[in-house]
């Protein structure tokens, strides 16, 4: 599982060190980096990505809508593998999408991890704690069943 919050810096080539606890979880797997809905990036192991795509296949809705979502994700995703120093290269297109330059915040999301600008993570974090809070999270969990 990918848990916790970490700060890292992108080097001049766009590489980022993956937290060591995450590298243990990744093992020998390749990673799939995907532009995500909140303007950040999400990183899956290939196995986790396959599970996520299977979940998309099982959603209610039209086959055409599912194909469009899958196309968007697949066309904009990139596959990589951590190098010997535990770094992954985030390509220019993904860095531009998420406005990544310099410092980044890496957050665990259980089956994947996310990469944010510090500013965007601060905003998301404030939304989670101020607007929703623990009671709001419990209400959301009740709504989900």
């Amino acid at each position: 599982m990918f848990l916790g919050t970490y700060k890292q810096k992108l080097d001049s080539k766009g590489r980022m060190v993956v937290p060591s606890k995450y590298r243990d979880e990744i093992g020998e797997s390749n990673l799939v980096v995907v532009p995500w809905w909140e303007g950040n990036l999400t990183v899956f192991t290939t196995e986790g990505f396959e599970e996520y795509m299977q979940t998309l296949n099982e959603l209610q809705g039209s086959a055409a809508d599912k194909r469009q979502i899958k196309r968007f994700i697949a066309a904009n995703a990139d596959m990589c593998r951590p190098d010997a120093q535990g770094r992954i290269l985030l390509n220019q297109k993904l860095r531009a999408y998420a406005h990544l330059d310099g410092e980044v915040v890496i957050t665990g999301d259980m089956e994947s991890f996310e990469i944010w600008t510090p500013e965007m993570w601060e905003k998301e974090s404030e939304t989670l704690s101020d607007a929703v809070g623990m009671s709001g999270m419990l209400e959301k969990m009740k709504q989900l069943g």
Side-chain angles (χ1 to χ4, degrees):
M1 260 193 288
F2 299 103
L3 304 171
T5 302
Y6 304 88
K7 289 189 177 183
Q8 295 287 355
K9 289 191 185 236
L10 294 179
D11 68 14
S12 61
K13 295 179 181 179
R15 296 176 299 194
M16 175 197 84
V17 175
V18 175
S20 61
K21 288 182 181 181
Y22 291 4
R23 292 195 305 264
D24 293 341
E25 182 72 22
I26 293 164
E28 297 298 315
S29 180
N30 285 323
L31 297 174
V32 181
V33 184
V34 181
W36 213 239
W37 316 118
E38 289 87 7
N40 59 308
L41 302 178
T42 292
V43 183
F44 294 93
T45 62
T46 50
E47 296 82 6
F49 185 68
E50 289 168 2
E51 289 174 18
Y52 180 77
M53 296 306 285
Q54 183 61 40
T55 301
L56 282 179
N57 287 332
E58 294 168 1
L59 292 176
Q60 300 296 316
S62 74
D65 287 344
K66 290 183 211 179
R67 280 194 309 273
Q68 283 185 324
I69 292 168
K70 286 170 56 177
R71 277 188 201 120
F72 172 80
I73 291 171
N76 292 291
D78 191 30
M79 190 175 289
C80 61
R81 178 184 290 273
D83 66 14
Q85 288 77 41
R87 300 172 299 191
I88 57 172
L89 175 64
L90 302 174
N91 72 36
Q92 178 57 40
K93 184 177 176 182
L94 290 170
R95 291 194 318 267
Y97 171 83
H99 307 287
L100 300 176
D101 184 33
E103 190 172 62
V104 298
V105 177
I106 303 162
T107 60
D109 190 20
M110 307 292 271
E111 65 277 344
S112 61
F113 62 94
E114 300 176 328
I115 306 170
W116 301 80
T117 65
E119 298 80 18
M120 288 182 72
W121 174 247
E122 173 103 11
K123 189 184 222 182
E124 180 69 11
S125 186
E126 286 174 10
T127 300
L128 293 173
S129 62
D130 294 343
V132 180
M134 185 56 80
S135 62
M137 287 295 174
L138 289 172
E139 186 59 35
K140 284 182 182 284
M141 290 176 72
K142 287 177 187 175
Q143 290 173 3
L144 292 172

